[in-house]
């Protein structure tokens, strides 16, 4: 799997300036749902694509008196399958999925997918909606999605595969780390869910 990385606009003023793709941490929002909830939850057999959750105003226990009240952009839809929840990106069902999965398990999977920017404070239900302490980099997010595309195998992103001298002899070859994170079957299900119209 190949990704592209493009420089910023304007005049180059430094040799090793700030790289937004590899160094900038951003909140992921709903883009985290497939890697933090769908892949781990399906892999652990906690739910399936057809599991039904009730999409309604819900107060989740977060240790405060009022509780955690996530909202949906377009209101509530009642009974909804995981497949339909991903299509419409409903928030409440994903927080319910995270509650069953647990933020700790989700973070374990994210770390196996190459995410290094998670903080201890991210271990809460708002992780389901991308509410992170400092966010994730574009490169690491792309690498985590690559795990799904690579049939469940995480392959560490790199900017080169090999270096050759003027005679075509390989003088250096990258050693990318790779590891199985989710099953091939889980990756196939998540790919199918993400391809829904």
């Amino acid at each position: 799997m190949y990704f592209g990385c493009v420089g910023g606009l304007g005049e180059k003023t430094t040799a090793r300036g700030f790289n937004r793709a590899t160094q900038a941490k951003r909140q992921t929002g709903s883009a985290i749902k497939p890697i933090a909830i769908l892949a781990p939850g399906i892999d652990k057999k906690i739910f399936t694509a057809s599991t039904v959750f009730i999409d309604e105003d819900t107060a989740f226990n977060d240790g405060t008196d009022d509780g955690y009240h996530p909202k949906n952009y377009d209101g509530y839809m009642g009974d909804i399958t995981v497949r339909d929840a991903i299509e419409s990106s409903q928030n409440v069902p994903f927080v319910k999925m995270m509650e069953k999965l647990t933020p700790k398990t989700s973070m374990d999977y994210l770390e196996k997918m190459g995410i290094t920017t998670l903080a201890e404070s991210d271990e809460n239900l708002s992780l389901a909606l991308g509410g992170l302490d400092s966010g994730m980099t574009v490169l690491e997010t792309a690498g985590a999605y690559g795990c799904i595309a690579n049939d469940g195998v995480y392959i560490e992103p790199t900017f080169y595969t090999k270096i050759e001298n003027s005679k075509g002899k390989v003088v250096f070859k990258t050693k990318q780390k790779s590891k199985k994170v989710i099953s091939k079957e889980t990756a196939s299900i998540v790919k199918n869910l993400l391809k829904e119209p």
Side-chain angles (χ1 to χ4, degrees), residues 19 22 44 54 63 92 114 122 130 132 160 173 189-190 196:
N19 186 319
T22 61
K44 287 275 196 187
I54 302 170
V92 174
D122 292 328
L132 303 170
Y160 57 90
K173 199 170 181 180
I189 292 166
V190 176
E196 286 293 299

Side-chain angles (χ1 to χ4, degrees), residues 71-109:
K71 303 291 181 208
N72 293 326
Y73 180 74
D74 284 330
Y76 303 102
M77 299 178 75
D79 289 353
I80 189 170
T81 63
V82 169
R83 183 178 299 278
D84 291 334
I86 191 68
E87 184 182 338
S88 58
S89 196
Q90 296 299 102
N91 290 330
V92 174
F94 276 96
V95 177
K96 288 183 177 183
M97 289 180 230
M98 178 64 82
E99 192 173 46
K100 286 181 173 292
L101 175 66
T102 75
K104 169 83 171 87
T105 302
S106 177
M107 287 176 68
D108 288 345
Y109 271 85

Side-chain angles (χ1 to χ4, degrees), residues 10-19 23:
E11 184 182 345
K12 184 175 177 179
T13 57
T14 180
R16 293 180 184 240
F18 185 74
N19 186 319
Q23 295 171 300

Side-chain angles (χ1 to χ4, degrees), residues 2-194:
Y2 297 97
F3 300 104
C5 186
V6 182
L9 300 173
E11 184 182 345
K12 184 175 177 179
T13 57
T14 180
R16 293 180 184 240
F18 185 74
N19 186 319
R20 288 177 183 85
T22 61
Q23 295 171 300
K25 298 173 194 169
R26 299 282 186 259
Q27 297 300 318
T28 62
S30 290
I32 203 169
K33 291 173 181 175
I35 56 176
I37 303 169
L38 285 183
I42 292 170
D43 197 56
K44 287 275 196 187
K45 298 179 176 32
I46 294 169
F47 50 79
T48 69
S50 59
T51 301
V52 174
F53 288 89
I54 302 170
D55 182 23
E56 63 185 1
D57 185 24
T58 306
F60 294 92
N61 183 4
D62 66 351
T64 65
D65 291 339
D66 295 333
Y68 174 48
H69 282 270
K71 303 291 181 208
N72 293 326
Y73 180 74
D74 284 330
Y76 303 102
M77 299 178 75
D79 289 353
I80 189 170
T81 63
V82 169
R83 183 178 299 278
D84 291 334
I86 191 68
E87 184 182 338
S88 58
S89 196
Q90 296 299 102
N91 290 330
V92 174
F94 276 96
V95 177
K96 288 183 177 183
M97 289 180 230
M98 178 64 82
E99 192 173 46
K100 286 181 173 292
L101 175 66
T102 75
K104 169 83 171 87
T105 302
S106 177
M107 287 176 68
D108 288 345
Y109 271 85
L110 288 169
E111 286 168 3
K112 287 177 192 168
M113 291 180 190
I115 306 300
T116 63
T117 56
L118 297 173
E120 210 175 286
S121 58
D122 292 328
E123 194 179 316
N124 63 68
L125 292 177
S126 66
L127 171 64
L129 309 180
L132 303 170
D133 188 42
S134 63
M136 290 164 36
T137 68
V138 173
L139 182 66
E140 288 187 352
T141 305
Y145 267 89
C147 177
I148 296 166
N150 293 324
D151 294 329
V153 178
Y154 167 75
I155 301 171
E156 182 181 34
T158 184
F159 286 93
Y160 57 90
T161 54
K162 63 184 176 180
I163 299 171
E164 297 178 353
N165 65 17
S166 60
K167 294 182 170 81
K169 182 183 174 189
V170 176
V171 293
F172 188 81
K173 199 170 181 180
T174 187
K175 293 177 182 147
Q176 288 173 278
K177 294 175 193 163
S178 68
K179 63 182 153 194
K180 187 84 167 164
V181 178
I182 57 175
S183 72
K184 186 175 181 178
E185 293 74 23
T186 296
S188 178
I189 292 166
V190 176
K191 280 189 264 190
N192 178 267
L193 285 169
L194 296 178

